[in-house]
Amino acid sequence: MNPDTHALAGAYAVNAVTEDERASFETHLEQCPDCRAEVAELRAAAATLTSDVEVTPPPALRASVLSAISQTRQLSPLVETTGTRNPPGTPEASPSSVAAPAQDAPVVDELAARRGRRLQPWLAGVAAAAVIGVATLAWQPWDDADTGQQVTATEQVLRAEDAQRLEQPMGASEIAIVRSPSMKQAVFVADAMPTPPAGRAYQLWFDVPGLGMVSAGMIPTSNATVAVMLKGDASAATGAGITLEPETGSEHPTSDPVALFTFA
Amino acid sequence: MVVMAAVGSGDTSLPTAAMGPDLVALLTRAARGDEAAFAELYDATASRLHGLVVRVVRDRAQSEEVTQDAYLDIWRHCTRYDPAKGSPLSWMMTIAHRKAVDRVRSAEASKAREVTYEATTVDREHDSTLEQVEVRLDQQRVRRALASLTDTQRGAVELAYLGGHTHTEVAALLDIPLGTAKTRIRDGLIRLRDTLEVTA
Ligand SMILES: [Zn+2]
């Protein structure tokens, strides 16, 4: 490996990198245990820089945080099939199984578990942009209480019986594509997508056999949660991707993907 | 109070006595959905995380949003916390720092688009915020560690970590070659790590 690549470990550890640098360094981190260890150590060292700075947030913030978490679902743990974090009695994964709340009984196939291991650096807080091609596959029924209200088209896909959720980290946020083969539709969901550079926006693509990457629409720029239906037939696609494009969108991808999803 | 010993734990090189609550245990319970444990975790760490966020973001209202956002992220992701990769506090500080940096950069991006944005309010906020920053007195060890950095290393590390600048921006600010800023940041952090004997 180019020694110059390792040299970015310090800047990366303190988030002093651009999104592009972050993405490429994280590809490097996947295969460089030295840099992973160094990043963790340098982060701990950096944290001491403000060890003399304590600012007590207002009590209202505490109340607000605690109220928010009570309404916020936690991510499913990434389960290693041979690992110790797999709770006893976890059922074997099966595409048709409908999981209890994922926190208690994660439904993850072996491939996803392998991918999960590769995601570990990020999970430990080596905050990562999308690591290409390592989406975690889980069949994820939404455990939100059904309010009985009319649901949008987007929600219908999210709640579909056969909805498959492919999630992966992108920066500090978690992005996911939820696809329902029976509805032939897919929805992109994210909270707090990294802000694209000025004049640019994230564009969604379906990977369609014979056609290649076909535009599936733009992701609106927002700090809040985004849920956007992908345009096109999701059942015909074998995967999806996201690239940075001019705000008006492109006919074909003009940059390397920042995220790729492979449909099962 | 979370003393700085907690920074290095995962770690056995720093004393763990008188360190306050066991953050690993709290995080483990929180990962199982235990909101009371998360509240304890918040109480044990909020002033450190918020202190960091305020240092980077400066604006008080925005800092509060960022800190809240960080804790929500910690809640969502604590199911996936891996002690092998860092102490709980280091992990949480990393999340808060990333959120803070994202905030100042997106603010800059939108400022670049809307030139009309007034920065004066930010300055005023900045001053009132600084009044609330409590400086702890028992920080000799960290001060000694910081003193072991060269001035140029310390400058680069602080611009990057506290200023929220990329290494490219640090190079421009210090008027030094690109690779030099990258090296100074890394060397400075390594020196800090070695002096403090922090492990992840
Ligand atoms: Zn490396």
Side-chain angles (χ1 to χ4, degrees):
Chain A
M1 180 55 63
N2 184 347
D4 213 41
T5 309
H6 304 293
L8 202 61
Y12 174 85
V14 293
N15 293 312
V17 289
T18 63
E19 287 303 318
D20 285 350
E21 287 169 331
R22 185 192 306 284
S24 74
F25 190 73
E26 275 161 4
T27 309
H28 170 66
L29 275 182
E30 287 269 301
Q31 12 165 327
C32 184
D34 288 350
C35 278
R36 285 204 296 273
E38 183 175 315
V39 164
E41 289 165 5
L42 298 188
R43 284 186 162 159
T48 64
L49 286 170
T50 57
S51 59
D52 63 344
V53 181
E54 299 202 11
V55 181
T56 305
L61 182 64
R62 181 182 193 272
S64 172
V65 164
L66 296 182
S67 148
I69 64 156
S70 70
Q71 300 168 48
T72 302
R73 184 181 173 276
Q74 294 177 297
L75 298 179
S76 311
L78 294 180
V79 179
E80 301 185 18
T81 43
T82 56
T84 51
R85 297 176 73 182
N86 203 351
T90 300
E92 281 304 308
S94 138
S96 60
S97 66
V98 174
Q103 186 190 329
D104 299 329
V107 179
V108 185
D109 66 15
E110 203 186 332
L111 181 60
R114 280 204 304 275
R115 287 162 169 163
R117 275 195 291 279
R118 293 173 54 202
L119 279 176
Q120 285 300 326
W122 175 75
L123 301 166
V126 182
V131 181
I132 303 300
V134 293
T136 312
L137 175 59
W139 278 266
Q140 160 64 66
W142 290 81
D143 51 9
D144 300 333
D146 191 345
T147 57
Q149 290 167 347
Q150 247 191 339
V151 294
T152 63
T154 308
E155 284 171 303
Q156 281 176 23
V157 175
L158 297 178
R159 296 178 184 189
E161 283 275 296
D162 64 341
Q164 298 170 351
R165 183 182 173 91
L166 293 143
E167 62 181 35
Q168 60 180 280
M170 178 172 177
S173 70
E174 189 79 20
I175 64 173
I177 284 186
V178 181
R179 184 177 74 123
S180 163
S182 69
M183 296 179 69
K184 303 187 175 191
Q185 285 178 314
V187 169
F188 171 81
V189 288
D191 65 339
M193 282 278 286
T195 308
R200 312 269 283 170
Y202 294 106
Q203 185 164 4
L204 289 157
W205 307 90
F206 272 133
D207 189 0
V208 183
L211 294 175
M213 288 300 198
V214 177
S215 176
M218 308 300 292
I219 301 175
T221 299
S222 162
N223 285 327
T225 300
V226 174
V228 54
M229 184 82 77
L230 276 74
K231 299 193 176 77
D233 182 350
S235 65
T238 56
I242 300 172
T243 59
L244 264 178
E245 300 294 337
E247 267 173 339
T248 50
S250 302
E251 202 167 327
H252 303 288
T254 62
S255 62
D256 290 336
V258 295
L260 282 178
F261 299 85
T262 303
F263 297 152
Chain B
M1 146 120 357
V2 178
V3 298
M4 68 138 286
V7 167
S9 76
D11 178 1
T12 50
S13 68
L14 293 168
T16 51
M19 209 184 94
D22 178 349
L23 298 184
V24 174
L26 288 177
L27 208 48
T28 306
R29 282 167 56 202
R32 297 178 189 137
D34 185 336
E35 293 174 26
F38 193 80
E40 274 186 66
L41 190 66
Y42 177 95
D43 291 337
T45 56
S47 60
R48 280 295 308 277
L49 261 66
H50 196 51
L52 170 62
V53 168
V54 167
R55 276 299 294 269
V56 175
V57 176
R58 307 284 181 152
D59 176 76
R60 192 171 150 210
Q62 288 196 50
S63 295
E64 288 171 12
E65 284 173 22
V66 168
T67 299
Q68 165 153 354
D69 213 19
Y71 274 102
L72 270 183
D73 239 44
I74 290 162
W75 169 253
R76 291 177 65 236
H77 286 96
C78 62
T79 47
R80 298 179 176 182
Y81 166 71
D82 177 0
K85 297 291 178 8
S87 74
L89 186 61
S90 174
W91 179 72
M92 294 169 72
M93 294 280 278
T94 297
I95 291 175
H97 185 257
R98 176 69 190 280
K99 291 276 177 195
V101 166
D102 283 352
R103 173 62 66 108
V104 294
R105 292 200 189 141
S106 73
E108 265 168 30
S110 60
K111 240 188 258 182
R113 283 195 292 268
E114 301 171 38
V115 196
T116 53
Y117 184 83
E118 293 295 332
T120 50
T121 53
V122 174
D123 291 339
R124 203 162 51 237
E125 289 283 0
H126 175 176
D127 291 342
S128 69
T129 297
L130 284 186
E131 287 165 14
Q132 302 184 12
V133 175
E134 305 157 28
V135 177
R136 296 182 55 211
L137 299 176
D138 55 344
Q139 292 301 321
Q140 291 176 1
R141 190 161 170 229
V142 175
R143 291 222 187 86
R144 273 201 304 273
L146 268 173
S148 76
L149 271 59
T150 65
D151 286 348
T152 55
Q153 285 172 348
R154 189 165 51 244
V157 166
E158 288 183 348
L159 280 172
Y161 187 69
L162 302 177
H165 300 292
T166 65
H167 69 96
T168 309
E169 292 162 349
V170 171
L173 286 165
L174 296 177
D175 199 18
I176 53 178
L178 256 183
T180 308
K182 190 161 60 176
T183 307
R184 277 187 196 168
I185 292 167
R186 184 182 184 212
D187 290 351
L189 289 169
I190 288 174
R191 177 92 62 108
L192 198 57
R193 173 197 69 187
D194 294 347
T195 312
L196 289 167
E197 298 178 309
V198 212
T199 60

